[in-house]
């Protein structure tokens, strides 16, 4: 690790020395890594550092090494830095504290609180009802907190699959009907009366759980921005469940999300109108992500009967 990085981290944490620990993960397409650093003589035993280094030649697992892709990733790290430096949440939608952030040429550094130390040391690859509900509760409180808040400095429209940022994938689509409807679906979601800030990549892997599984914190805010909260809801549900589970469990889980949203939203919000609009947007949000997958990776396991049925319903509503 470069000396200027060490100096920044030591100063930010008030530590006397540091030791580079385990690499937690590499960043998508070879854009850097996330590592844990162990500290001496300060009140934090460790911190997590997201070290971004823009590669001369990216290695995308799906082969999408385009200028669009690179510009989107560069912007995503700028957005994430701005998010951590300028936005805050509460204990109902916990995120790591940002201790320092800076840019050095083609490199960026974000120094974050170690959520493992804070009690969120569990990761899940499969979940029970309790853990899915914990994630939905986090999202409900997050969406309530930022209801009507302008996404200043963030993506104007959040999520990594947003149509405007995915022209290459749209062009690659073979489903002509959905391809023709993509712009209409995008506009319907963007013109919702009730807008919030969405996490934008609310998959299971981006939630850190307490040992009980009842409390969660979220990480990875590269695609945080404005939008309809259903975009996050469909993404977490799709990342947790296969198609048969979706058919059986989605209605009850949606009910739970709206129960949590009602408890946390400000009293001056017309909740009945909000719930009505967002329930109507569920199929549109799901189909919007389905559109992305069809262009990005046509053989993806999430392109299943449940997704196709929702897309069929949306196209019928649009009379496409």
């Amino acid at each position: 690790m470069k000396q200027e990085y060490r100096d920044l981290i030591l100063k930010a944490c008030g530590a006397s020395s540091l030791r580079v620990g385990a690499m937690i993960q590499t960043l998508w397409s070879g854009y850097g890594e996330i590592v844990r650093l162990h500290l001496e003589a300060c009140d934090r035993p460790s911190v997590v550092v997201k070290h971004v280094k823009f590669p001369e030649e990216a290695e995308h697992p799906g082969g999408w090494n385009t200028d669009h892709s690179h510009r989107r990733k560069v912007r995503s790290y700028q957005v994430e830095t701005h998010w951590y430096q300028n936005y805050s949440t509460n204990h109902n939608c916990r995120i790591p504290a940002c201790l320092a952030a800076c840019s050095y040429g083609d490199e960026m550094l974000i120094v974050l609180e170690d959520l493992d130390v804070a009690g969120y040391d569990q990761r899940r690859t499969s979940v029970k009802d309790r853990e899915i509900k914990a994630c939905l509760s986090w999202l409900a409180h997050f969406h309530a907190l930022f209801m009507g808040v302008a996404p200043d400095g963030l993506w104007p429209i959040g999520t990594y699959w947003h149509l405007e940022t995915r022209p290459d994938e749209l062009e690659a689509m073979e489903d002509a009907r959905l391809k023709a409807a993509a712009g209409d679906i995008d506009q319907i979601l963007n013109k919702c009366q009730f807008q919030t800030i969405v996490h934008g990549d609310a998959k299971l892997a981006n939630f850190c759980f307490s040992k009980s599984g009842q409390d969660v914190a979220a990480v990875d805010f590269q695609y945080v921005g404005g939008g309809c909260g259903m975009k996050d809801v469909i993404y977490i549900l799709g990342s947790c469940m296969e198609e048969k589970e979706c058919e059986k469990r989605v209605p009850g889980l949606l009910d739970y999300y709206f129960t949590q949203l009602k408890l946390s939203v400000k009293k001056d919000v017309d909740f009945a109108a909000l719930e009505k609009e967002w329930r109507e947007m569920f199929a549109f949000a799901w189909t919007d992500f389905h559109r992305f997958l069809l262009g990005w990776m046509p053989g993806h396991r999430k392109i299943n009967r449940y997704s196709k049925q929702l897309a069929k319903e949306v196209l019928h509503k649009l009379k496409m």
Side-chain angles (χ1 to χ4, degrees), residues 103-208:
S103 297
Y104 294 95
D106 62 351
E107 298 185 47
M108 300 174 72
L109 211 68
I110 306 176
V111 184
L112 299 169
E113 169 192 15
D114 188 345
L115 288 173
D116 280 15
V117 174
Y120 301 92
D121 60 347
Q122 304 293 304
R123 308 295 181 267
R124 298 283 193 267
T125 53
S126 62
V127 287
K128 297 175 182 175
D129 198 60
R130 175 178 56 195
E131 286 111 342
I132 296 179
K133 285 183 174 178
C135 294
L136 288 171
S137 177
W138 189 99
L139 288 171
H141 283 90
F142 185 83
H143 295 154
L145 180 64
F146 293 106
M147 191 70 65
V149 174
D152 294 333
L154 310 178
W155 291 98
I157 300 170
T159 75
Y160 70 81
W161 60 91
H162 171 225
L163 183 63
E164 188 179 344
T165 65
R166 294 291 183 169
D168 300 323
E169 291 82 356
L170 180 67
E171 182 60 31
M173 279 182 68
E174 294 183 1
D175 185 327
R177 289 180 68 210
L178 187 51
K179 187 175 183 177
D184 289 339
I185 293 168
D186 182 59
Q187 284 303 304
I188 287 169
L189 287 165
N190 295 345
K191 291 181 178 178
C192 279
Q193 177 188 350
F194 295 96
Q195 295 283 328
T196 185
I197 289 177
V198 296
H199 178 285
D201 192 6
K203 60 188 175 188
L204 185 58
N206 284 334
F207 285 94
C208 307

Side-chain angles (χ1 to χ4, degrees), residues 10-31:
L10 291 174
K11 182 179 180 181
C13 300
S16 61
S17 63
L18 63 81
R19 174 174 57 85
V20 179
M23 182 175 72
I24 298 171
Q25 70 179 73
T26 57
L27 298 178
W28 192 254
S29 303
Y31 275 66

Side-chain angles (χ1 to χ4, degrees), residues 53-305:
K53 186 173 183 179
F54 302 127
E56 292 182 12
E57 190 168 329
E59 299 176 4
H60 193 289
W64 295 97
N65 297 326
T66 65
D67 286 341
H68 282 300
S69 176
H70 176 70
R71 288 197 300 271
R72 185 177 59 251
K73 290 186 182 70
V74 171
R75 177 64 184 144
S76 78
Y77 292 116
Q78 293 169 343
V79 164
E80 183 171 39
T81 300
H82 186 84
W83 162 262
Y84 278 124
Q85 290 181 315
N86 295 278
Y87 289 80
S88 62
T89 62
N90 57 43
H91 67 282
N92 290 313
C93 43
R94 182 79 153 79
I95 65 173
C98 179
L99 307 174
C102 64
S103 297
Y104 294 95
D106 62 351
E107 298 185 47
M108 300 174 72
L109 211 68
I110 306 176
V111 184
L112 299 169
E113 169 192 15
D114 188 345
L115 288 173
D116 280 15
V117 174
Y120 301 92
D121 60 347
Q122 304 293 304
R123 308 295 181 267
R124 298 283 193 267
T125 53
S126 62
V127 287
K128 297 175 182 175
D129 198 60
R130 175 178 56 195
E131 286 111 342
I132 296 179
K133 285 183 174 178
C135 294
L136 288 171
S137 177
W138 189 99
L139 288 171
H141 283 90
F142 185 83
H143 295 154
L145 180 64
F146 293 106
M147 191 70 65
V149 174
D152 294 333
L154 310 178
W155 291 98
I157 300 170
T159 75
Y160 70 81
W161 60 91
H162 171 225
L163 183 63
E164 188 179 344
T165 65
R166 294 291 183 169
D168 300 323
E169 291 82 356
L170 180 67
E171 182 60 31
M173 279 182 68
E174 294 183 1
D175 185 327
R177 289 180 68 210
L178 187 51
K179 187 175 183 177
D184 289 339
I185 293 168
D186 182 59
Q187 284 303 304
I188 287 169
L189 287 165
N190 295 345
K191 291 181 178 178
C192 279
Q193 177 188 350
F194 295 96
Q195 295 283 328
T196 185
I197 289 177
V198 296
H199 178 285
D201 192 6
K203 60 188 175 188
L204 185 58
N206 284 334
F207 285 94
C208 307
F209 293 82
S210 64
K211 282 186 169 58
S212 69
Q214 291 182 310
D215 297 307
V216 294
V219 296
D220 194 350
F221 288 88
Q222 288 175 233
Y223 293 96
V224 65
C228 169
M230 284 295 100
K231 292 183 177 185
D232 282 336
V233 172
I234 67 97
Y235 196 56
I236 185 62
L237 293 178
S239 78
C240 290
M241 300 185 294
E242 300 298 331
E243 61 180 318
K244 289 185 179 178
E245 285 185 286
C246 287
E247 291 167 358
K248 180 180 178 182
R249 299 174 65 191
V250 160
L253 291 170
L254 263 184
D255 288 345
Y256 179 79
Y257 167 82
F258 282 110
T259 298
Q260 294 298 302
L261 188 64
K262 187 175 184 178
L263 289 172
S264 50
V265 80
K266 293 183 178 71
K267 300 304 179 189
D268 61 348
V269 173
D270 183 345
F271 184 76
L274 165 61
E275 181 175 7
K276 182 178 185 295
E277 180 183 65
W278 280 15
R279 281 188 181 272
E280 290 173 355
M281 289 302 101
F282 177 81
F284 283 86
W286 195 292
T287 301
D288 186 50
F289 182 65
H290 180 63
R291 174 268 311 159
F292 162 70
L293 285 182
L294 287 173
W296 182 67
M297 192 178 290
H300 199 285
R301 64 176 181 80
K302 290 183 185 177
I303 300 174
N304 54 40
R305 188 176 67 247

